[in-house]
Amino acid sequence: MAILETDNRPQAGANFTALIGEESQWTDRRIFLDEEIYQLELDQIFRRCWLFVAHESQIPEPGDFVSSYMGEDSVLIVRQADQSIVVLINTCPHRGNRVCHAESGKVRSFICNYHGWSFGRDGKFLGAHQQDAYDASRDFCQDRGQLNMPSAARVDSYKGLVFAIFDPDAPSLQDYLGDFCWYLDALLDNDEGGTEFFPGCYKYLVETNWKTPVENTSGDALHAGWTHASGPEALFGRAVAPDKGEHSYHVNQNGHCWQFNLDYPLGNAAALGEKRVLNYLRERNDQVVERLGEVRAKIMNAISCILIFPNLGILPGSMNFRVYHPRGPNKIEVHSWGLVNQNAPPDVKEAYRKGGMITFGPAGIFELDDGENWEFVNRASRGQQARRAPLYLGVGLGSEIEDANIPGHVSQGQMNEANQRSFFRHWADMMAAEDWTQVPGK
């Protein structure tokens, strides 16, 4: 492998930059296919990065919980009596069985099906079926704290979005998000009432590597006019106007990416095909400008896409949130929700829900386009010769600009792969670093 000088297994400290090139303009296809690289990703990235697990609106009251994943670890996100949130690894410390099989609900405790071990909603061991028999055993664990369900090292929220992390030595969530908090506020803080998720979650499998949709979501404006050409024609009876790229920006920092076009401030929202949504946004425009400024008032609904490293993708305007959970090097499980302002009128919320389902639901006209491409990207690369051919990511090299109004590393022009290169550089840095002190720009 290009990653190592020997045939040793890939490990932290290896030269992962060799797989993406010095300028990240060529990527080795094996990073999408190799089982050993994938297993290292689970440890180097999914164990050490802040991962999105829920929106606070999903668990408003004590005892409310939802299930999710951190990498391949099943987790339970549970609201406590003091309104704090814990994230429990959904496994029993006795035999390892999954403790809770429900996707959401309200609980006073969790009980494992196997031996009847029970745990508080904070994960603390409460007891077991026939507890007297355990207590009579001289060798039964004296330190009951060792029998608690394992949990994430830290849990934190940013304006409704709940993140968790397994690495206790990682930077804070605020530091991890960095300047991207400024951008996220365009979605999460454009109204004093905050945001909420629609009830329910779409879950579906796609046979591809998790980095393929992530790379797309980081800012692949190149595919939109071709891959999704039929969508606007079906919705509006015409194709989208060509993008000259004069006000198309690609912004990145530490693996997080945002691509947006200021020439189409209602572009993504218009794609929903719902006039109620567009009227709502136009009516609120002056209020949002006063709250966030003109730039963020434009990008909150523009033709754009967002990646929060490593696997949270957001589509402003259509307000679609999705997490690409890894399920091996050749499969992902997508979890998808719709986000809306809590104070939005009921008919506007329904318009967002309906429009989001039609466009980026599992059978949406745009989501099906992408899913098919992502699967064939994976299948076409598995051949012994195909996997030896590198992939080009050099569009827009040297397009960086300075813009005092836009934080982060900024590049200009629609035809640009600056964000993809940024993602893979950060991926390589995370894969090689033995701890957070070795991650550039941590």
Side-chain angles (χ1 to χ4, degrees):
M1 296 178 64
I3 190 171
L4 296 168
E5 297 299 328
T6 69
D7 291 331
N8 294 333
R9 294 182 60 181
Q11 57 189 319
N15 181 19
F16 283 86
T17 303
L19 286 174
I20 61 172
E22 291 301 325
E23 293 187 297
S24 308
Q25 62 176 315
W26 292 96
T27 55
D28 192 314
R29 297 193 198 204
R30 286 173 292 184
I31 69 175
F32 300 95
L33 304 167
D34 188 273
E35 176 68 32
E36 293 182 344
I37 290 177
Y38 170 74
Q39 291 298 328
L40 190 60
E41 287 175 333
L42 294 178
D43 188 60
Q44 291 289 101
I45 292 177
F46 289 94
R47 181 183 64 84
R48 299 197 307 179
C49 290
W50 285 95
L51 303 176
F52 172 78
V53 291
H55 191 285
E56 289 192 18
S57 64
Q58 297 176 285
I59 47 172
E61 299 177 352
D64 290 344
F65 78 93
V66 292
S67 64
S68 188
Y69 287 90
M70 297 175 65
E72 291 201 19
D73 285 286
S74 172
V75 295
L76 302 169
I77 303 92
V78 192
R79 180 76 73 174
Q80 304 298 299
D82 63 359
Q83 293 299 315
S84 65
I85 299 171
V86 301
V87 175
L88 306 173
I89 304 176
N90 192 8
T91 182
C92 180
H94 186 216
R95 288 293 184 273
N97 188 33
R98 176 171 288 197
V99 174
C100 179
H101 294 266
E103 294 187 356
S104 62
K106 182 183 286 288
V107 295
R108 288 182 294 180
S109 62
F110 296 101
I111 302 177
C112 178
N113 288 340
Y114 202 167
H115 297 90
W117 283 36
S118 64
F119 308 88
R121 54 196 183 197
D122 58 358
K124 291 183 179 179
F125 175 73
L126 298 179
H129 175 63
Q130 296 180 323
Q131 182 65 44
D132 291 345
Y134 287 93
D135 292 337
S137 173
R138 181 179 59 184
D139 297 325
F140 185 61
C141 184
Q142 299 301 308
D143 182 0
R144 300 296 174 89
Q146 294 180 341
L147 304 180
N148 297 341
M149 293 176 66
S151 62
R154 282 185 285 168
V155 181
D156 202 353
S157 297
Y158 186 76
K159 298 188 178 179
L161 305 187
V162 183
F163 292 80
I165 193 167
F166 291 131
D167 185 354
D169 298 320
S172 69
L173 175 61
Q174 190 80 26
D175 288 342
Y176 181 81
L177 294 175
D179 286 341
F180 265 70
C181 291
W182 184 87
Y183 291 98
L184 287 174
D185 286 352
L187 305 181
L188 307 175
D189 196 22
N190 65 76
D191 184 85
E192 62 182 3
T195 60
E196 63 184 10
F197 272 2
F198 291 121
C201 173
Y202 295 123
K203 298 182 179 181
Y204 49 100
L205 299 174
V206 183
E207 293 186 359
T208 194
N209 184 272
W210 68 273
K211 295 184 292 299
T212 298
V214 162
E215 178 264 338
N216 176 284
T217 303
S218 71
D220 188 350
L222 285 72
H223 84 292
W226 180 260
T227 292
H228 300 309
S230 61
E233 291 178 356
L235 286 171
F236 313 119
R238 57 180 173 80
V240 174
D243 179 5
K244 297 180 180 180
E246 295 177 3
H247 300 98
S248 184
Y249 297 93
H250 300 252
V251 181
N252 55 74
Q253 182 188 49
N254 299 337
H256 311 313
C257 303
W258 193 314
Q259 179 271 324
F260 56 90
N261 190 318
L262 298 181
D263 287 330
Y264 302 97
L266 294 178
N268 274 6
L272 297 176
E274 291 286 345
K275 290 183 178 180
R276 287 172 294 178
V277 169
L278 297 181
N279 291 337
Y280 168 73
L281 295 174
R282 292 185 179 113
E283 290 169 2
R284 296 193 62 245
N285 183 69
D286 291 345
Q287 175 187 342
V288 175
V289 170
E290 182 178 355
R291 187 177 182 89
L292 297 174
E294 291 188 5
V295 173
R296 287 188 291 180
K298 287 183 177 181
I299 68 174
M300 63 177 280
N301 299 293
I303 294 178
S304 62
C305 51
I306 308 166
L307 168 69
I308 300 300
F309 190 91
N311 64 332
L312 170 60
I314 308 171
L315 289 174
S318 61
M319 306 309 286
N320 178 266
F321 271 59
R322 71 271 296 274
V323 178
Y324 306 106
H325 295 294
R327 293 292 176 267
N330 300 307
K331 184 179 290 186
I332 59 172
E333 182 177 323
V334 184
H335 289 193
S336 177
W337 307 265
L339 181 85
V340 68
N341 285 341
Q342 286 189 6
N343 288 339
D347 66 321
V348 172
K349 291 183 179 181
E350 175 60 17
Y352 268 116
R353 187 196 66 80
K354 179 182 176 182
M357 179 177 62
I358 292 173
T359 54
F360 286 101
I365 58 175
F366 297 126
E367 189 71 3
L368 287 175
D369 291 337
D370 287 329
E372 182 178 48
N373 283 333
W374 296 341
E375 288 200 345
F376 278 103
V377 162
N378 184 266
R379 295 178 194 176
S381 295
R382 293 184 197 176
Q384 288 299 317
Q385 293 304 311
R387 70 177 57 197
R388 288 174 165 81
L391 301 172
Y392 183 66
L393 275 180
V395 178
L397 279 171
S399 61
E400 295 80 7
I401 63 171
E402 294 288 337
D403 193 321
N405 297 315
I406 304 176
H409 303 291
V410 184
S411 295
Q412 193 171 20
Q414 181 201 20
M415 299 304 173
N416 208 315
E417 293 171 331
N419 282 0
Q420 288 91 332
R421 291 189 292 272
S422 171
F423 167 79
F424 284 111
R425 280 195 300 271
H426 193 69
W427 173 86
D429 290 339
M430 290 294 301
M431 291 288 282
E434 296 181 2
D435 57 55
W436 273 98
T437 63
Q438 299 179 358
V439 179
K442 61 181 183 301

